Amino acid sequence: MNKKEFLTSLDSRLQKLSKEERLDILQDFSEHFEIGKEDGKTEEAIAHSLGSPSQIEKELLASYYVEKVESTSSASNVLKAVWAVIGLSFFNLVIVLGPFIALVSLIAAGWIAGTAFVLSPILFLINVAVFPGTFEFFDMFFSLTLCGLGLLVVIGMLFVTRYSTKGLIKYLNYNVNLVKGGMKS
């Protein structure tokens, strides 16, 4: 593969990135070819040393989505980043997807439990409205206690969700750097 074929292949694979980012990346790889030529290497040898455009695309897109989720951590961006990191290698299917599913399940369980506790007085009132003979003060105070506990759980889940997202982003960055072969951050 010569320089033109390499850059054309890489350009076609990076269509998800903005034009400015693509041009910047292509300029960097073009400079690699120029420096390699000055060292007396052939274009084919330089292209071989850079790696396949497919693997470069996966690494660049994973880095791009992880950087994007760092600036805007919406659920959509988190999913795109996780998916891009999983795409780096088959091994990531286990070491990224497994912890991600476990983390999302724990967070969802915390939110569901907190919300159910907060809504328990409403459920108590519905129960009393449907079955008026079942009113007991213990049930009323117990539902109010659960509501207070639920508010604490919901507040705690706000922090757990925020810090878990940051931890997940660091883990994704670590994984991208590990796959690239370096441990810069």
Side-chain angles (χ1 to χ4, degrees):
M1 181 180 291
N2 63 24
K3 175 183 175 182
K4 184 178 179 183
E5 292 169 341
F6 182 88
L7 293 178
T8 302
S9 175
L10 187 60
D11 185 38
S12 68
R13 293 174 184 274
L14 296 177
Q15 293 297 315
K16 293 179 184 174
L17 300 179
S18 69
K19 185 176 181 179
E20 293 81 26
E21 290 178 88
R22 258 190 358 256
L23 290 176
D24 188 42
I25 290 168
L26 293 175
Q27 179 66 32
D28 286 346
F29 280 95
S30 182
E31 289 175 9
H32 281 289
F33 276 98
E34 298 305 320
I35 293 171
K37 283 182 185 176
E38 290 174 6
D39 293 340
K41 296 179 182 175
T42 63
E43 289 184 353
E44 287 76 17
I46 297 167
H48 181 72
S49 69
L50 290 174
S52 75
S54 172
Q55 186 62 30
I56 293 170
E57 170 217 1
K58 290 176 184 175
E59 292 174 5
L60 289 173
L61 288 179
S63 296
Y64 170 74
Y65 284 124
V66 170
E67 287 174 11
K68 191 173 178 180
V69 80
E70 285 176 336
S71 62
T72 309
S73 61
S74 67
S76 170
N77 287 343
V78 170
L79 286 175
K80 286 178 183 175
V82 168
W83 192 250
V85 172
I86 288 172
L88 288 176
S89 72
F90 180 74
F91 183 64
N92 284 354
L93 185 65
V94 176
I95 65 169
V96 172
L97 189 59
F100 177 71
I101 289 173
L103 183 67
V104 169
S105 298
L106 287 173
I107 290 173
W111 278 105
I112 290 169
T115 304
F117 284 2
V118 168
L119 296 178
S120 63
I122 294 172
L123 297 175
F124 170 76
L125 291 176
I126 291 172
N127 184 43
V128 169
V130 174
F131 305 105
T134 61
F135 178 82
E136 290 189 27
F137 282 108
F138 174 77
D139 290 344
M140 182 180 76
F141 289 118
F142 188 70
S143 68
L144 290 175
T145 303
L146 283 180
C147 181
L149 183 64
L151 288 173
L152 293 175
V153 170
V154 166
I155 291 169
M157 287 309 298
L158 285 172
F159 290 104
V160 167
T161 303
R162 183 176 302 151
Y163 291 119
S164 297
T165 303
K166 288 180 181 179
L168 178 67
I169 292 168
K170 285 184 179 181
Y171 182 67
L172 292 176
N173 264 327
Y174 169 79
N175 198 290
V176 168
N177 289 331
L178 188 66
V179 169
K180 284 182 176 179
M183 301 299 295
K184 295 176 184 170
S185 58

